Amino acid sequence: MAIYQFLDFTFCATTFALTQSGKEKPIRPKTAQALLYFLQHPKTLITKQQLFNALWRSEDVQDYRLFQVISELRKLAPEQQLIRTQPNAGYIWQTEVAIKPVTSKKPFNTFALAASMICVVSTIGLTLFNFEQTQQKQVMLPALSSYSNAVVAFQEANYDDAEKWLTFTLKENPDSIDAQLLLAEVKYQQNEHNSANSLAFTALNNASETSYYRAQALDLLSRIALETNQIDKALNFAVKGKQVMNRELATCSAHVVDKRIAFIIENTKYTEQNNALENPINTTSGKMLVSSNQVNSSQKQVPVSQLCQQLTQPVTSTIECITTPEQLLLFREKQLYS
């Protein structure tokens, strides 16, 4: 345990208790965490990325969250320049910091005893504060909590941890299609195509005909088929997924699948043996890709399109909108003999 001193402040590294001239100073847990990081690295340039990793364990954090923490730290002593912003570089803690280690092997001196008492009293206050906050929040059940951990692990490409948490989630909630699909994605990223395929089909069978889960499962099955060179299956799954999305009006997701279908068609040369169209879609549906009216409608939704742009990578495509199986057949024949 260590006690940090700066100006007339005392900060307990163990309890995050902050006092000023002996009086307790309220501080949010995340701000206290940032304060400790600065006190551990005084007079040192700290980048935003370092702070993101230290406070949120990720660099994918919106800047305003860090700005709020920095602002709260500066308000501790507005008349002092505790933190200096280094443009385009990061932040530097400028105030002198003294460290008072406290161990059980030596008798406490007067300051250590007083600081320890402050920490104890502040711990009680902090506990009550946290208890009040906890009362205002609902505690997540284990299945949801473990699924949240799996999502974070997946985003960090830590697939072993993601698989561990998802396996636990499915033990707690075997009906979780979210967990089934994410575990299938984990297996796919690890090139375990058979396991991914099996999990995707399980989710597909558990989802309703119009469920977005069904579209997700079909999209994954399409990617697996494409990677294993099963071109017709890849196209078949992609088209069926698109039909579900058309019913659900998932315009951004449908746009992604449009590009995947275009990619399959553009980048695949069929041999003469594969020229026969093996019914990749339900020919009675009369629709394969989104209609021009639907495309124009989605483009008018500027906020949605902006979010979609952030979530997807732009893909250049010269494919025109294909609306019938006959148009698809003509296009494939054109590709074969071009």
Side-chain angles (χ1 to χ4, degrees):
M1 181 173 70
I3 305 296
Y4 291 88
Q5 283 186 309
F6 62 95
L7 301 178
D8 57 343
F9 290 88
T10 300
F11 182 71
C12 182
T14 303
T15 64
F16 281 3
L18 178 66
T19 62
Q20 183 179 21
S21 301
K23 296 182 179 180
E24 184 177 354
K25 190 80 171 177
I27 185 170
R28 289 194 310 124
K30 186 64 67 178
T31 307
Q33 189 179 352
L35 175 60
L36 177 60
Y37 192 81
F38 275 114
L39 294 177
Q40 290 173 335
H41 305 85
K43 306 296 179 67
T44 303
L45 177 65
I46 301 174
T47 66
K48 287 197 304 183
Q49 287 69 31
Q50 287 175 302
L51 288 169
F52 287 154
N53 286 323
L55 303 182
W56 289 279
R57 297 179 60 190
S58 171
E59 293 186 12
D60 186 21
V61 181
Q62 293 181 329
D63 287 348
Y64 82 89
R65 300 181 67 182
L66 178 59
F67 295 159
Q68 180 184 3
V69 169
I70 297 296
S71 175
E72 290 176 6
L73 288 177
R74 285 174 169 155
K75 287 178 182 178
L76 293 176
E79 70 284 356
Q80 303 288 336
Q81 192 176 10
L82 293 178
I83 302 172
R84 185 176 82 240
T85 300
Q86 199 73 14
N88 301 319
Y91 303 94
I92 300 176
W93 179 273
Q94 297 192 117
T95 306
E96 294 292 335
V97 178
I99 305 176
K100 300 291 183 180
V102 179
T103 65
S104 58
K105 295 181 180 180
K106 297 180 181 180
F108 285 168
N109 56 30
T110 303
F111 169 79
L113 180 59
S116 298
M117 290 300 296
I118 291 171
C119 282
V120 171
V121 173
S122 299
T123 300
I124 296 173
L126 186 61
T127 301
L128 292 174
F129 173 76
N130 287 337
F131 175 77
E132 290 176 358
Q133 281 201 325
T134 303
Q135 291 294 92
Q136 298 173 4
K137 297 181 179 179
Q138 293 184 353
V139 178
M140 291 192 298
L141 290 175
L144 182 56
S145 181
S146 61
Y147 178 77
S148 301
N149 290 341
V151 171
V152 173
F154 182 82
Q155 290 174 337
E156 296 175 349
N158 188 347
Y159 300 126
D160 289 339
D161 274 3
E163 182 175 351
K164 174 188 69 176
W165 286 115
L166 288 168
T167 301
F168 176 82
T169 301
L170 289 171
K171 286 182 178 179
E172 291 290 311
N173 180 15
D175 299 325
S176 173
I177 301 180
D178 285 305
Q180 292 169 0
L181 286 169
L182 187 55
L183 184 56
E185 289 284 355
V186 169
K187 294 295 187 180
Y188 173 73
Q189 294 297 330
Q190 295 174 316
N191 294 319
E192 298 180 25
H193 295 140
N194 289 337
S195 296
N197 201 71
S198 177
L199 286 163
F201 267 114
T202 299
L204 184 65
N205 293 332
N206 291 337
S208 66
E209 287 293 326
T210 59
S211 169
Y212 189 83
Y213 292 127
R214 187 174 184 82
Q216 285 181 270
L218 287 165
D219 178 73
L220 178 55
L221 288 168
S222 176
R223 284 181 280 138
I224 295 171
L226 184 60
E227 192 157 316
T228 53
N229 296 318
Q230 301 177 72
I231 306 303
D232 281 343
K233 280 189 176 182
L235 188 59
N236 181 30
F237 288 135
V239 169
K240 287 182 178 178
K242 178 60 188 298
Q243 291 171 343
V244 175
M245 291 174 191
N246 284 345
R247 289 193 292 268
E248 292 297 300
L249 298 178
T251 54
C252 181
S253 300
H255 176 60
V256 172
V257 179
D258 275 345
K259 293 191 294 183
R260 195 182 320 285
I261 293 172
F263 175 84
I264 294 172
I265 297 174
E266 280 187 295
N267 294 274
T268 303
K269 294 292 185 179
Y270 288 87
T271 63
E272 193 167 354
Q273 289 77 7
N274 291 330
N275 188 42
L277 184 62
E278 297 178 0
N279 190 27
I281 61 173
N282 182 355
T283 57
T284 61
S285 67
K287 183 183 294 184
M288 176 175 171
L289 299 185
V290 66
S291 67
S292 300
N293 291 335
Q294 287 175 305
V295 171
N296 292 335
S297 175
S298 66
Q299 289 174 345
K300 293 177 183 177
Q301 301 176 29
V302 177
V304 174
S305 64
Q306 289 176 349
L307 290 173
C308 185
Q309 181 72 16
Q310 295 176 28
L311 293 170
T312 61
Q313 292 295 328
V315 175
T316 302
S317 173
T318 58
I319 296 296
E320 296 181 356
C321 185
I322 299 174
T323 57
T324 67
E326 291 75 15
Q327 289 176 338
L328 174 61
L329 178 58
L330 289 174
F331 184 87
R332 291 176 63 179
E333 289 177 346
K334 188 184 299 183
Q335 288 288 90
L336 176 63
Y337 296 110
S338 61

